[in-house]
């Protein structure tokens, strides 16, 4: 007999709605797993067991509803606020910060019927591609505990991969969902800019950071994405004048369950960082991309090739990334000293960016966005490696030399950040394994076409059955 965590989130949801499982039973099951496993993994920075049990009991007393996540456990990424729970943001600078109100995404997931079990680990202010901070132990990859889970949604990914959560929300400003999902063998979706009303990207500098799901199956990712887009199951409540066009098929869960359609796919193994860094893609990961392309051809899709257009992207993105850190609340020398070296470097560089240079970078990246969309226009899907390297060992990133650290992050994930700049949807899928560790591929879609990515992902999942793979500590 399978245990509850062996079931998909969608299967657990069905048990809840048939009355064969209560929210309290499911919450207790996952809290027990967190207590037993998280000491090795470091996925959580805060576990709110009593609040979670009270919330589960409250849902039971209210009775089953049509809320899309009714009774399902999840956790908040520790960049978002939950009223009454510390928000540590991966930083010593945030010690003692307990917000009085919740972030929009936290409130949305509550409205959708979710049960938060706590806060998942993130690097300092979510700025890096790895989750190793000075406020606690590193977040380890459940597949190989000597490697990291990636970042910045590293805690969320590690919790789902280890079966401590059925799925989890993350956020992605340069790969922060896709990087840890690929490292830990999960499905991770970065939605189009404007897709998720409570984390649309429109409030972030350059429109980069959007919210999206991490899950073990494509259908589970679609289930959580539907709730993030529309917590009450009605048409999304957009608080701005721009949003991604709706899926022609309606709810994403149905699209993921059907997994239908034949599409034109282009394979791309070049990145915008190739001209400034010595980008080397592990041949074994290239082999996984080639295998995926062959499998897509076997499934009836057209398969072609494309390349990344030439651009000034590296310099422009570097300016934007630095400027985006300028608002971190460190005003005094003492506060700056509490930041990690890479964060302090970003803050100081960002505050030194002239307005004219920032304006030019934003204009240049807008032109880059149009160039990328034009280059990808003939294709429904562009297939790339998600990462250039396998999961990095704990301590691999330079903790003192910020310039070297930045380069290492670009060498690890050269295929992710440009998708945020272009505002396009993307999904990473755990198609293969390399030396016992997961190997992911990235599918990039046309503006607003998450439905196509989910449909193609479902077709690959049916053939590969990656949902049956689990890490050794499962």
């Amino acid at each position: 007999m399978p245990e509850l965590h062996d079931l998909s989130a969608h299967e657990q949801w069905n048990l809840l709605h048939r009355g064969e499982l209560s929210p309290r039973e499911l919450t207790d099951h996952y809290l027990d797993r967190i207590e037993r496993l998280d000491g090795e993994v470091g996925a959580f920075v805060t576990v709110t067991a009593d609040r979670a049990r009270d919330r589960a009991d409250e849902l039971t007393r209210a009775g089953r509803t049509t809320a899309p996540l009714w009774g399902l456990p999840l956790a908040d990424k520790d960049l978002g606020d939950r009223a009454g729970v510390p928000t540590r943001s991966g930083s010593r600078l945030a010690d003692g910060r307990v917000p009085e109100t919740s972030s929009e995404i936290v409130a949305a997931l509550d409205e959708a019927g979710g049960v938060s079990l706590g806060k998942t680990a993130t690097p300092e202010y979510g700025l890096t591609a790895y989750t190793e901070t000075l406020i606690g132990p590193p977040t380890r990859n459940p597949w190989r505990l000597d490697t990291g889970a990636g970042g910045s949604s590293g805690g969320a990914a590690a919790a789902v991969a280890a079966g401590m959560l059925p799925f989890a929300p993350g956020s992605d400003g340069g790969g922060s969902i896709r990087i840890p999902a690929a490292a830990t063998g999960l499905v991770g979706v970065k939605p189009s800019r404007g897709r998720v009303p409570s984390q649309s990207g429109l409030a972030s500098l350059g429109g980069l950071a959007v919210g999206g799901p991490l899950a073990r199956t494509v259908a589970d990712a679609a289930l959580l994405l539907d709730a993030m887009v529309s917590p009450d199951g009605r048409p999304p409540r957009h608080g701005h004048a721009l949003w991604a066009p709706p899926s022609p098929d309606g709810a994403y869960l149905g699209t993921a369950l059907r997994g239908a359609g034949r599409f034109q796919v282009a394979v791309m193994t070049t990145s915008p960082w190739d001209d400034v860094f010595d980008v080397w893609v592990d041949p074994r990961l290239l082999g996984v991309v080639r295998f995926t392309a062959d499998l897509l051809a076997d499934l009836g899709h057209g398969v072609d090739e494309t390349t990344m257009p030439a651009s000034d992207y590296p310099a422009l993105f570097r300016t934007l990334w630095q400027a985006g850190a300028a608002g971190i609340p460190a005003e005094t020398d003492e506060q700056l000293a509490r930041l990690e070296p890479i964060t302090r470097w970003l803050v100081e560089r960002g505050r030194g960016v002239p307005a004219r240079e920032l304006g030019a970078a934003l204009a240049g990246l807008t032109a880059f966005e149009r160039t990328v969309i034009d280059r990808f226009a003939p294709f429904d899907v562009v297939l790339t490696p998600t990462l250039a390297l396998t999961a990095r060992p704990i301590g691999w990133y330079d903790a003192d030399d910020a310039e070297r650290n930045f380069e290492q992050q670009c060498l690890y994930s050269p295929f992710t950040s440009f998708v945020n700049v272009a505002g396009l949807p993307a999904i990473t899928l755990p198609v293969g394994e390399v030396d016992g560790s997961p190997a992911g591929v990235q599918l990039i879609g046309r503006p607003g076409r998450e439905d196509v990515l989910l449909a193609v992902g479902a077709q690959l999942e049916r053939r590969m059955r990656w949902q049956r793979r689990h890490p050794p500590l499962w």
Side-chain angles (χ1 to χ4, degrees):
M1 287 288 293
E3 295 192 60
L4 289 174
H5 60 276
D6 293 322
L7 304 176
S8 70
H10 190 227
E11 290 169 330
Q12 293 173 34
W13 187 88
N14 284 331
L15 290 176
L16 287 166
H17 279 262
R18 291 201 300 265
E20 298 174 27
L21 177 68
S22 73
R24 177 62 179 267
E25 289 172 324
L26 192 56
T27 295
D28 282 338
H29 177 82
Y30 280 107
L31 287 172
D32 288 345
R33 283 188 65 80
I34 293 169
E35 183 176 6
R36 180 162 59 87
L37 298 176
D38 197 47
E40 290 185 88
V41 178
F44 285 82
V45 293
T46 305
V47 178
T48 53
D50 291 342
R51 288 177 62 125
R53 292 188 176 103
D54 289 346
R55 165 70 167 166
D57 291 343
E58 174 191 327
L59 290 172
T60 300
R61 287 193 298 271
R64 287 188 294 277
T65 71
T66 58
L69 302 182
W70 188 85
L72 287 173
L74 42 77
D76 310 310
K77 183 176 177 179
D78 197 32
L79 296 179
D81 290 343
R82 177 171 290 278
V85 178
T87 300
R88 304 183 70 189
S89 301
S91 180
R92 296 176 297 181
L93 190 61
D95 283 350
R97 181 174 180 270
V98 181
E100 296 181 0
T101 58
S102 296
S103 299
E104 283 187 72
I105 185 61
V106 169
L109 292 170
D110 284 351
E111 182 181 1
V115 179
S116 174
L117 306 190
K119 306 294 283 291
T120 54
T122 182
E124 192 165 44
Y125 292 101
L127 289 172
T128 62
Y130 58 99
T131 307
E132 302 170 35
T133 73
L134 296 178
I135 69 167
T139 300
R140 298 180 180 273
N141 190 330
W143 288 88
R144 285 187 54 184
L145 293 173
D146 60 337
T147 64
S152 66
S153 304
V160 176
M164 291 186 278
L165 290 173
F167 51 23
S171 58
D172 191 317
S176 289
I177 288 172
R178 290 159 291 154
I179 293 166
T184 61
L186 299 178
V187 176
V189 179
K190 174 229 165 295
S192 303
R193 183 182 297 131
R195 169 65 69 210
V196 176
S198 55
Q199 281 187 315
S200 66
L202 299 177
S204 64
L205 187 64
L208 300 184
V210 299
L214 297 107
R216 290 192 294 273
T217 74
V218 174
D220 286 355
L223 174 63
L224 183 51
L225 179 59
D226 276 332
M228 297 175 82
V229 171
S230 178
D232 60 2
R234 297 175 181 174
R237 303 187 298 269
H238 288 282
H240 41 77
L242 170 68
W243 66 86
S247 164
D249 293 331
Y252 291 116
L253 178 58
T255 300
L257 291 172
R258 287 191 297 275
R262 296 292 178 266
F263 304 102
Q264 190 63 33
V265 179
V267 178
M268 186 179 77
T269 57
T270 56
S271 88
W273 299 99
D274 293 352
D275 291 335
V276 294
F277 294 131
D278 186 17
V279 174
W280 178 81
V281 184
D282 189 317
R284 298 170 297 180
L285 297 179
L286 289 175
V288 172
V289 172
R290 288 192 292 270
F291 168 80
T292 304
D294 290 342
L295 184 52
L296 289 170
D298 289 344
L299 291 170
H301 302 284
V303 177
D304 205 335
E305 293 185 1
T306 192
T307 58
M308 176 60 60
S311 71
D312 295 327
Y313 175 85
L316 299 173
F317 181 79
R318 182 188 179 98
T319 298
L320 187 62
W321 193 48
Q322 292 173 342
I328 287 174
E331 305 302 334
T332 66
D333 289 343
E334 181 182 359
Q335 289 173 331
L336 285 168
R338 293 181 66 79
L339 297 174
E340 297 175 20
I342 178 67
T343 309
R344 186 164 59 251
W345 175 77
L346 285 167
V347 170
E348 292 171 346
R349 290 294 183 91
R351 291 176 180 174
V353 174
R356 180 177 295 181
E357 182 180 343
L358 177 58
L362 290 168
L365 290 172
T366 298
F368 172 81
E369 174 183 342
R370 293 178 178 177
T371 300
V372 169
I373 291 173
D374 286 346
R375 175 63 62 91
F376 292 176
F379 313 108
D380 299 295
V381 174
V382 174
L383 167 67
T384 78
T386 306
L387 302 172
L389 305 171
T390 56
R392 297 294 81 198
I394 297 291
W396 182 76
Y397 291 94
D398 196 308
D400 299 311
D401 185 338
E403 291 277 3
R404 174 59 180 158
N405 186 298
F406 177 79
E407 179 181 357
Q408 287 174 308
Q409 293 185 66
C410 295
L411 293 174
Y412 181 45
S413 56
F415 301 100
T416 56
S417 65
F418 84 88
V419 186
N420 297 76
V421 169
L424 296 173
I427 188 171
T428 184
L429 303 167
V431 172
E433 291 187 18
V434 171
D435 291 340
S437 294
V441 298
Q442 176 178 237
L443 306 180
I444 305 165
R446 288 174 169 154
R449 296 311 303 267
E450 288 88 347
D451 59 311
V452 172
L453 302 181
L454 292 165
V456 176
Q459 293 174 25
L460 290 170
E461 183 179 78
R462 283 199 292 259
R463 181 69 66 92
M464 299 298 301
R465 298 192 177 276
W466 55 65
Q467 66 271 33
R468 296 183 178 179
R469 305 175 192 155
H470 302 301
L473 56 66
W474 186 263

